[in-house]
Amino acid sequence: REFAAVRSLLHLGPEPPMNEHGARLRQLRSELVTIGLDPGEHLGLLARVIGIDPAAGYVAPPRDLSRIRGLTMESIRAWLTALAVEGLLVRIEDLQWADQASIELFTSLATDPIAGVRVLATERLEETSQSAHHAFDVVELQPLEQADALELAESVSPGMDDAASERVVTLG
């Protein structure tokens, strides 16, 4: 299953305009119906998680944090289960910056896996981290040599001039 539809629901960066929240909410509702999840049960929980403002037209979940946390985790796992029919890779970059709730979710995916869901996370070990390494298989990678990094930059963006390649490699 193509993950592009779900990827476009996620918005990282500056706060999107309200009309974009509405479009993302409609897309989420449609996606839930398509994968067989009840929007009445999951829409408010998932919309909140992916940053859609309640003013876009959904009922925000109750403020009882002990109840909402469990319901949200269940809803996310149901969503991933439905999406994983043909296999799903969840890629998490910069795990060291994840909040505790996210760490708990990622840890639960490692300790109580969902069939067809694979998780790939990156983390800079030199930075402060809350992650629970004991739940994950850790593969430590060394930085690429300069020549290898330049070759990778060129393979990703053929025709990139030397100055741009050097900037990409320098920025990491």
Side-chain angles (χ1 to χ4, degrees):
R1 174 160 162 70
E2 177 58 42
F3 193 61
V6 174
R7 184 182 315 119
S8 67
L9 286 170
L10 304 175
H11 178 85
L12 303 174
E15 185 63 24
M18 187 51 68
N19 61 348
E20 191 174 317
H21 283 274
R24 290 174 57 223
L25 183 64
R26 287 188 299 279
Q27 183 182 351
L28 176 58
R29 182 178 283 115
S30 175
E31 179 71 17
L32 291 174
V33 169
T34 299
I35 62 177
L37 293 179
D38 176 13
E41 181 179 348
H42 298 283
L43 185 71
L45 296 165
L46 294 172
R48 189 70 160 211
V49 167
I50 63 175
I52 299 173
D53 191 294
Y58 70 91
V59 176
R63 296 271 184 207
D64 177 356
L65 294 181
S66 62
R67 184 169 167 251
I68 196 67
R69 185 180 199 123
L71 290 173
T72 300
M73 292 296 183
E74 289 173 21
S75 197
I76 292 170
R77 288 184 65 89
W79 192 27
L80 293 174
T81 300
L83 290 171
V85 173
E86 296 178 25
L88 177 67
L89 174 66
V90 176
R91 186 182 74 198
I92 305 144
E93 294 187 25
D94 296 320
L95 185 61
Q96 73 276 4
W97 293 329
D99 61 21
Q100 191 57 43
S102 298
I103 295 293
E104 288 174 21
L105 173 64
F106 305 145
T107 301
S108 80
L109 292 173
T111 58
D112 184 16
I114 297 172
V117 175
R118 299 292 177 259
V119 178
L120 174 66
T122 63
E123 177 180 44
R124 295 180 188 272
L125 295 178
E126 68 272 7
E127 296 187 28
T128 305
S129 173
Q130 305 173 35
S131 66
H133 289 117
H134 64 274
F136 304 99
D137 293 330
V138 176
V139 178
E140 288 191 38
L141 302 175
Q142 299 303 315
L144 292 175
E145 296 293 328
Q146 179 83 6
D148 295 330
L150 287 168
E151 182 180 337
L152 177 61
E154 174 62 28
S155 72
V156 171
S157 184
M160 185 184 314
D161 66 50
D162 291 342
S165 293
E166 288 289 337
R167 281 194 307 277
V168 168
V169 169
T170 301
L171 293 173

